[in-house]
Amino acid sequence: MTSTNAAASHASEAAAAGAERRWAIIVMMIIALLLAMMIFTGLHWASMPPSRVETVDPRTLHVSGEFVENNLGTTVDANGKVMVRLIAQQYSFEPQCLVVPAGVPVTFRATSADAIHGFVVDKTNANVMLIPGFVATFTATFKESGERLMPCHEYCGTGHEAMWGRVQVLPADEFLAKVKGAERMSCVPR
Ligand code: CUA
């Protein structure tokens, strides 16, 4: 009787030791995986930072520099690179209507003159926060021509709901034909 008891307790002790060893190995593997993820993301982001930090003085936006009124809107440089500059302010975008070509990468440079605003163009992945003092830069390609809405999607004050603009996506040839006439384009009625 006592010998079978002793044998049973010996067997369960061995089972416990085995389970402990298995769990120790699993825990070590989890730690190794987390370390590998940390090393990978650290190296990866070091070589490819998520964004540059570029500052601008929100108090002088309208007076001097890149974001003065006559420098806002869409431009095409000699290499055909399309660039849109805009400002968000309580409670409108400047310009209120952007013109961009379809199927061509468009680089946006935008900032805010006052509060934090959100910039998003519906049916696209153009989505960025506009923070006073910082320049947001991103590139988006609009697949289809047509009109898109551009609402502010960050609560910025009592007029937030009324803050929205439009994006007119033109077929690339139609866009290029328009470029010749004006240096800086928008679809704001003048
Ligand atoms: Cu601007 Cu909400």
Side-chain angles (χ1 to χ4, degrees), residues 14-153:
E20 234 170 78
R21 203 176 310 114
R22 268 198 307 282
W23 279 110
I25 290 168
I26 290 169
V27 168
M28 292 306 285
M29 280 165 63
I30 290 170
I31 291 170
L33 177 70
L34 291 175
L35 278 173
M37 279 164 65
M38 278 165 66
I39 291 164
F40 171 77
T41 52
L43 292 175
H44 181 70
W45 291 122
S47 60
M48 240 196 291
S51 65
R52 300 156 307 115
V53 175
E54 195 181 332
T55 56
V56 67
D57 188 347
R59 291 166 301 181
T60 56
L61 279 185
H62 302 277
V63 194
S64 63
E66 184 185 346
F67 292 95
V68 292
E69 192 178 355
N70 63 9
N71 203 34
L72 300 177
T74 309
T75 56
V76 182
D77 72 9
N79 304 320
K81 197 178 166 214
V82 184
M83 166 87 79
V84 176
R85 285 192 183 82
L86 75 148
I87 288 181
Q89 59 203 357
Q90 288 164 320
Y91 296 98
S92 62
F93 292 99
E94 186 65 44
Q96 273 287 86
C97 183
L98 306 175
V99 193
V100 296
V104 176
V106 178
T107 301
F108 288 81
R109 285 178 62 78
T111 188
S112 163
D114 38 46
I116 296 177
H117 299 277
F119 173 92
V120 66
V121 181
D122 76 336
K123 297 181 199 155
T124 72
N125 61 356
N127 186 340
V128 74
M129 276 169 88
L130 305 180
I131 303 167
F134 296 92
V135 180
T137 305
F138 64 98
T139 302
T141 304
F142 298 90
K143 288 197 188 90
E144 298 153 35
S145 55
E147 189 162 293
R148 305 269 183 283
L149 291 178
M150 179 177 85
C152 174
H153 71 92

